[in-house]
Amino acid sequence: MQWMKRLAVAIFLLGGCLATGPASADNYPSRPIRLLHGFAAGGAADTLSRIIADGLSKKLGQPIIVEAKPGAGGNIAADAIAKAAPDGYTIGLVTGAHAISAATYKSLAYQPAESFEMISTLVYYALVIAVRNDYPAKSLGELIAMAKEKPGALSFGSVGFGSTHHLAGELLNATAGVEIVHVPYRGDSQSITALLGGEIPVIVGTPVLLAPQIQSGAIRGLAVTSPTRTALLPDVPTVQEAGIKGYDVRTWAGLLAPKGTPPVIIAALNAATLDALRDPDLKQRLETAVGGVVRGSLPEEMKKLIETEITKWTGVVDRAKIPKI
């Protein structure tokens, strides 16, 4: 009979472990949470990750440990998130590049929309089309006119092939009916250096990094890619103001978790994120980091955003005949 008592105790203990294990939200979170992102330390994604990690840590009462897994436009980190245990202790920060990967890669080890549980968007921000201050085109309209006169003669630089910056330029080509050739660089700093050095006449860049050069007069911002002007560059008109109707490119950042993370945990993470975004100091830090606008969401709204972006960018890639990686 002794063995039956031991078996009963073992079953009782096992039941207790299952009831209070990592998939249960009764005591969630009971230990530190990892927040992965797929870009270099010190960059925009890393900065955003650390700001929101600080806010979430205060709301959830546990440390949020930020871990960078750079490479392949964020795909290495996304794959690691998708394959992590769905217990709420691994989450990730992704950017607009997450949806673009579905359009620019022949195949991925995960599905950008279906391999994850969405938590919330965090912030949206525009890009800026810019030239050196002494360049002949003083407006986007003048640049487009120059491009139409000499198809393929002008070029624009971006932070890299398949980036939101790259595809923003390709969308401008398609909507304005021009052919400005893409030149990829490794990050904003290289593309800005190339612009100032005369290697390229135009760049599509990140406003928060271009703003000091624009304010000093070294670079002229021709247009921002959002449908409305930005608080960071209030004097720079929009692409739509130049007559390119319907043009809208805003990149974004958001949080997600592995597929199968329990709904109650996703709900807890969503509530904590939205609560953190209401904090005026955290909101200002996020917006200052990228020159953007904070906007949280419900999980289903973030999933819809990604699905819509995949469709949009797949169309741009196909029209521009951009070879897939």
Side-chain angles (χ1 to χ4, degrees):
M1 297 295 293
Q2 189 66 27
W3 67 272
M4 294 183 67
K5 290 181 180 179
R6 289 177 180 171
L7 179 60
V9 171
I11 292 172
F12 174 80
L13 292 175
L14 177 61
C17 290
L18 291 174
T20 61
S24 171
D26 292 343
N27 63 341
Y28 177 82
S30 60
R31 53 187 169 88
I33 297 169
R34 286 197 311 160
L35 195 165
L36 307 182
H37 70 80
F39 300 91
D46 188 59
T47 301
L48 293 173
S49 295
R50 294 183 188 282
I51 294 170
I52 195 62
D54 181 49
L56 282 178
S57 179
K58 292 174 181 175
K59 300 301 177 183
L60 295 171
Q62 288 288 341
I64 311 291
I65 301 167
V66 175
E67 182 179 337
K69 285 185 173 292
N75 294 340
I76 292 174
D79 187 39
I81 298 162
K83 292 175 179 174
D87 57 8
Y89 291 97
T90 298
I91 61 175
L93 180 140
V94 295
T95 68
H98 184 72
I100 286 176
S101 290
T104 54
Y105 279 77
K106 294 176 182 177
S107 64
L108 294 167
Y110 58 90
Q111 296 298 317
E114 300 303 327
S115 296
F116 304 92
E117 305 291 349
M118 308 307 163
I119 297 172
S120 173
T121 55
L122 300 173
V123 63
Y124 289 74
Y125 52 105
L127 303 174
V128 61
I129 300 166
V131 296
R132 204 166 67 174
N133 199 42
D134 58 0
Y135 192 68
K138 306 301 181 186
S139 68
L140 182 61
E142 291 181 8
L143 179 71
I144 290 170
M146 290 173 61
K148 286 183 176 180
E149 286 180 6
K150 298 180 179 180
L154 301 183
S155 60
F156 75 94
S158 83
V159 299
F161 177 85
S163 63
T164 307
H165 304 59
H166 172 199
L167 296 193
E170 297 293 358
L171 183 59
L172 180 67
N173 279 337
T175 52
V178 295
E179 185 183 345
I180 306 176
V181 179
H182 176 238
V183 180
Y185 289 88
R186 291 187 176 181
D188 272 297
S189 60
Q190 285 194 11
S191 65
I192 292 171
T193 299
L195 178 72
L196 292 172
E199 290 181 21
I200 47 173
V202 186
I203 60 170
V204 179
T206 305
V208 72
L209 298 177
L210 280 171
Q213 300 280 1
I214 292 172
Q215 291 159 0
S216 73
I219 288 175
R220 178 184 295 109
L222 297 184
V224 291
T225 61
S226 52
T228 58
R229 297 193 184 196
T230 69
L232 182 65
L233 297 170
D235 297 327
V236 178
T238 68
V239 171
Q240 293 194 31
E241 286 180 71
I244 312 301
K245 301 303 181 184
Y247 185 94
D248 179 7
V249 176
R250 284 167 290 174
T251 192
W252 50 271
L255 298 176
L256 44 64
K259 185 74 173 179
T261 301
V264 68
I265 290 180
I266 294 297
L269 288 166
N270 176 260
T273 301
L274 296 182
D275 195 18
L277 294 179
R278 294 187 195 101
D279 179 78
D281 178 62
L282 184 136
K283 180 175 180 290
Q284 182 180 30
R285 289 167 64 197
L286 286 173
E287 292 183 341
T288 300
V290 290
V293 178
V294 161
R295 186 184 304 164
S297 73
L298 296 174
E300 54 267 29
E301 291 172 332
M302 181 174 167
K303 184 176 182 181
K304 181 63 176 177
L305 167 68
I306 292 174
E307 291 171 342
T308 301
E309 291 260 292
I310 289 172
T311 300
K312 172 182 178 177
W313 294 124
T314 298
V316 171
V317 168
D318 290 345
R319 284 195 302 270
K321 298 180 180 179
I322 299 170
K324 294 196 176 186
I325 303 170

